[in-house]
Amino acid sequence: MSGMSADPAQALPAVMSPLSGQMLELDEDDDLEVFSKDMNLMDGSPMNASMPTSPASMINQYKFEEETDAKDIFVTVDNPESHVTALETFITYRVVTKTTRSEFDSCEYEVRRRYQDFLWLKERLEEGHPTLIMHPLPEKFVMKGMVERFNDDFIETRQKALHKFLNRVADHPILSCHEDFKIFLTAQAWELTSHKKQGPGFLSRMGDTVRAVAASVRGVRNRPEEFTAMLEYVDSFGQKMISLDKVTQRIVKEQKEYLGELKEYGPVYTLWSGSEEELVEPLKGVASCIDRCCKATEEQIGHLSENLVPLLHEYVLCTDSVKAVLRRRDNIQAESEAKNDALANRKADREALKEEVERLEDKVECANNALKGDWLRWQGNMRSDIKAAFVSTAEKNVDYYEKCLAVWESFLTSQTAAHDMESNSGHSS
């Protein structure tokens, strides 16, 4: 990742720098499946009504210095099950939670959730904390011409992504305390359905959307430099991830094609050995070497497909999430600037407007502090994830080439020994 050091991220203030084909996915939306890219980020979402409104309490809510390494909630997503009804086919996943938190009535819970439940949770967390960085959910997608839409590879990939999403929420000092997260982990299916209906109505959501669009159209006049630097960093980082994602997927595709050729290559030597009495052993030896290299190549392709490719694509989606958070922060500031302009130009109702301006200024300050704190958290997680994936890939590559090298060295040793024996036998005679 040395290329990142030359990016605009170097311009970030000291507070931000202590940590130095496409993947297609399938989803069900409501009762019928809808196949499209997930575009459910809610720019300009309102702050949670229960959030403290004084500047001090709002800022203190987003201080991360008192975080502790003691983990008190563990979440596992596993055991997918397919469900078929007259209207739809969908997958549910088991979500097991173990916790020592006092706000939970029990220390262990087991529920089943489908993708749209995860999507609901993500939207609720974004509504309550619009400038905290949410780990992305896997995309929605369709595989055209695919007879069995829910194949094992797809289900396993989605399960891992959902597991990671929930664990990132569980590890977060603020998001993990959200009431809807607790409900998601503990409520039975019918209870969760009932709770969802209690959320903001259509008109309320429409009003939020209209305000977000209006703020986006107005734009922000005086964005602080640190957030501009964040945006430049994310743009640059996103381009790198997109390039690496495409190239890695192309490499995997080419390696699969190479493996197919290799599997056809070995049997030719075996067949040839049947008609060359003097070359039987060398030909069979070459066929055996190719077969062993095939197995090593399959392992390497599997590692790339299961580890590096999903990780790179995951961070392509992450950059979209971070950009959405930055847009929401801008929308909050733009709304505050608009109210300030109205206050300056209006003589009547100044007191009421002044209170609104002060409230929005507090909201901007809260949003800024939340994002600055979460930015460091996101960078730390990102760098840790990517470093681990690169180290693992490097180790697998070394292992792969060492295996292939050992295979061919063994063949050379055996052939050299056979040649020496033949030479000695010739000299003796």
Side-chain angles (χ1 to χ4, degrees), residues 8-147:
Q10 288 184 331
L12 297 179
V15 68
M16 298 163 56
S17 58
L19 297 169
S20 316
Q22 298 181 344
M23 290 281 290
L24 298 175
E25 292 216 35
L26 179 64
D27 177 46
E28 327 78 53
D29 189 286
D30 297 322
D31 290 328
L32 294 175
E33 291 170 6
V34 177
F35 308 112
S36 63
K37 185 175 180 182
D38 190 349
M39 298 296 289
N40 289 281
L41 293 169
M42 303 176 63
D43 290 282
S45 300
M47 304 293 280
N48 193 319
S50 63
M51 187 176 293
T53 54
S54 71
S57 59
M58 293 173 77
I59 294 170
N60 289 337
Q61 182 182 11
Y62 292 104
K63 286 188 176 178
F64 299 98
E65 289 81 5
E66 298 178 2
E67 290 178 30
T68 140
D69 293 332
K71 191 172 170 109
D72 56 5
I73 184 165
F74 300 83
V75 184
T76 304
V77 179
D78 60 13
N79 192 23
E81 289 182 359
S82 178
H83 301 262
V84 181
T85 70
L87 294 177
E88 60 178 342
T89 298
F90 61 93
I91 304 292
T92 63
Y93 302 86
R94 182 174 67 174
V95 178
V96 177
T97 304
K98 296 182 180 180
T99 182
T100 57
R101 292 188 177 183
S102 59
E103 61 264 32
F104 287 79
D105 296 330
S106 177
C107 60
E108 185 169 348
Y109 296 86
E110 179 179 318
V111 296
R112 298 204 69 85
R113 297 288 182 254
R114 56 189 293 181
Y115 180 88
Q116 65 182 26
D117 298 327
F118 288 84
L119 186 59
W120 168 83
L121 173 63
K122 180 173 180 287
E123 291 175 348
R124 292 294 292 157
L125 293 176
E126 285 177 341
E127 288 171 11
H129 305 284
T131 54
L132 292 182
I133 300 173
M134 208 75 58
H135 197 75
L137 285 170
E139 294 167 297
K140 304 175 182 180
F141 84 99
V142 59
M143 280 191 171
K144 295 180 180 178
M146 184 175 168
V147 177

Side-chain angles (χ1 to χ4, degrees), residues 103-253:
E103 61 264 32
F104 287 79
D105 296 330
S106 177
C107 60
E108 185 169 348
Y109 296 86
E110 179 179 318
V111 296
R112 298 204 69 85
R113 297 288 182 254
R114 56 189 293 181
Y115 180 88
Q116 65 182 26
D117 298 327
F118 288 84
L119 186 59
W120 168 83
L121 173 63
K122 180 173 180 287
E123 291 175 348
R124 292 294 292 157
L125 293 176
E126 285 177 341
E127 288 171 11
H129 305 284
T131 54
L132 292 182
I133 300 173
M134 208 75 58
H135 197 75
L137 285 170
E139 294 167 297
K140 304 175 182 180
F141 84 99
V142 59
M143 280 191 171
K144 295 180 180 178
M146 184 175 168
V147 177
E148 179 53 55
R149 292 181 294 189
F150 295 108
N151 61 30
D152 291 341
D153 289 341
F154 160 73
I155 293 173
E156 183 179 0
T157 299
R158 167 155 287 186
Q159 175 189 308
K160 289 179 179 179
L162 296 176
H163 174 86
K164 189 167 186 177
F165 168 77
L166 280 190
N167 275 272
R168 283 291 161 84
V169 175
D171 290 341
H172 199 285
I174 295 173
L175 297 177
S176 65
C177 296
H178 197 285
E179 181 64 19
D180 286 315
F181 182 53
K182 176 186 173 185
I183 291 171
F184 177 91
L185 297 178
T186 62
Q188 294 304 309
W190 66 269
E191 294 175 312
L192 182 63
T193 300
S194 175
H195 181 75
K196 286 181 181 179
K197 294 177 180 178
Q198 298 172 15
F202 174 77
L203 292 179
S204 175
R205 294 197 303 271
M206 180 63 71
D208 295 337
T209 302
V210 169
R211 283 193 294 273
V213 171
S216 179
V217 171
R218 285 193 301 266
V220 61
R221 289 196 302 269
N222 301 303
R223 180 193 294 125
E225 290 183 5
E226 56 194 319
F227 298 114
T228 298
M230 284 183 190
L231 182 58
E232 291 173 352
Y233 176 92
V234 172
D235 281 336
S236 178
F237 174 77
Q239 289 303 314
K240 288 181 175 65
M241 288 298 102
I242 290 171
S243 297
L244 289 175
D245 181 35
K246 289 180 178 179
V247 171
T248 305
Q249 290 192 52
R250 188 163 64 244
I251 289 172
V252 170
K253 179 182 178 182

